[in-house]
Structure formats: C-alpha cells, structure tokens
Amino acid sequence: MTATRSAGIPQGRPFTVDDLEAMPDDGNRYELIDGMLVVSPAPGTRHQKILFQLAVALNAVCPNGLHVFPAPFAVRMTSTTELQPDVLVAREEDLTEKLLSAAPVLAVEVLLPSSVINDLNNKKAAYERMGVPSYWVVDPQAPSIVVFELVDGRYEQAAEVKDSDVLSVERPFPVRIVPRELLGTLAS
C-alpha cells in the first residue's frame, strides 16, 4: 500500500488526476505530465492580455464544429497527464462538460519567465505524444509566435513571426495573427 502524507502529497507513486483535484485553489496552475506535478504561478499582465486577445482572434474565425477555450480548461488524456493550455481549439464531439478527453487540434502556450523550459520541452513533448496537430508558443516579451506542426508523429517548426510580422496559417483553420497586435495598448 502506498503511503500518503496528510498534506495530500503522494509518496512512492506518480501524481494522478485525483491528486490534482485535492490541490488548493491558491492561484497557481497545477498540471500533470506523466505523473509529474507541474506548478505555474499566476500569470502577469502581458501574458493575460495576449491569452485573451489570441482567444478572441481565433474565436472570430473558428468554424462550426470547433471551439476555442482559454485556460483554465483541462485536457486529460490519462490518469497521470492533465494539461491546461493557455488557449486550445477542440472538436465539439471531444468535449465533455468538464474537460477535453482527446487531443485538441491546437494547443497554445504563452510563455512566462518560469515556464519557458517546461513549455518548450516537457509540454511540447506531451502534446506531441498526444497527437496535437498544431502547437503554438507565444512569447509576450518579444512579442513572437512559433508554430509547430505534427509531421509523421513529430513536431516540426512550421513558422516563426515576430513583432509586426503576420502569421498566416491554414491549420487548424485559416487565420492571420500579428504578435504585436495581441498586446493592444500594452505594446506601446
């Protein structure tokens, strides 16, 4: 039998989604990657502005049958992996009332200084294993967007745009995004 401390931290086993539900509502984001707990602090102004503006821009051109969700909205693939992309696009038939139990068609992470290594390595690898066709990484400080597309089960960088350059993609649906415009008046 596996022992668990009274604080709810499992000992001698990977974290599970049941453990996530016991985490405090303290403003941090709690996610799981292969049983490893990932804790992210509350995001700042630029992060939230970009997350909101990107969700609005994607939603404006999102076709029927797909839905755009900003975080927090869980993607739960197994009992030891649950992620909350900053923005995701999901097929309607894959949604439940509480979460997404299949790979989204697009996962977007907006970088925080504390999340760069995790977003560019661990989360990218997890999304790749899940079979997420498109993964975008947005840097609110630059501002820039790097697009990865799944090709033969591996991510390949498909585009990178900076500042006032235009990102024009066809997947998961046609959209044009200018990174600097996602900051609104914060860009000045």
Side-chain angles (χ1 to χ4, degrees):
M1 181 173 193
T2 304
T4 303
R5 284 193 223 169
S6 61
I9 305 297
Q11 299 296 305
R13 66 170 174 81
F15 279 85
T16 68
V17 293
D18 292 333
D19 298 319
L20 277 185
E21 292 179 9
M23 292 295 161
D25 186 8
D26 58 4
N28 289 316
R29 181 185 302 177
Y30 293 92
E31 298 173 287
L32 288 178
I33 300 175
D34 299 327
M36 179 183 72
L37 182 65
V38 179
V39 182
S40 302
T45 305
R46 291 171 75 89
H47 178 282
Q48 289 303 92
K49 184 68 170 185
I50 282 182
L51 181 155
F52 175 78
Q53 294 287 79
L54 185 57
V56 167
L58 289 170
N59 195 61
V61 295
C62 186
N64 289 337
L66 295 177
H67 297 277
V68 177
F69 293 96
F73 195 80
V75 176
R76 183 182 297 167
M77 299 296 292
T78 68
S79 65
T80 58
T81 297
E82 180 176 300
L83 296 171
Q84 294 183 22
D86 288 313
V87 179
L88 67 83
V89 176
R91 290 176 204 86
E92 188 166 331
E93 63 268 16
D94 294 336
L95 293 166
T96 70
E97 188 60 33
K98 187 175 178 184
L99 54 82
L100 179 63
S101 60
V105 296
L106 170 65
V108 180
E109 295 293 349
V110 180
L111 298 176
L112 293 168
S114 62
S115 74
V116 173
I117 291 172
N118 193 49
D119 289 344
L120 293 175
N121 293 289
N122 299 332
K123 282 189 173 183
K124 181 180 167 198
Y127 292 135
E128 187 177 75
R129 285 191 306 274
M130 287 179 189
V132 177
S134 299
Y135 176 51
W136 298 2
V137 178
V138 182
D139 184 343
Q141 301 307 317
S144 63
I145 303 172
V146 178
V147 174
F148 297 96
E149 297 290 340
L150 204 58
V151 177
D152 297 326
R154 305 287 303 178
Y155 278 135
E156 292 184 7
Q157 185 173 321
E160 179 176 10
V161 296
K162 297 178 181 181
D163 202 35
S164 296
D165 294 340
V166 178
L167 173 66
S168 182
V169 297
E170 296 299 314
R171 289 174 63 184
F173 46 80
V175 65
R176 293 171 48 90
I177 306 281
V178 176
R180 178 157 293 286
E181 291 176 2
L182 294 174
L183 286 168
T185 58
L186 293 176
S188 2

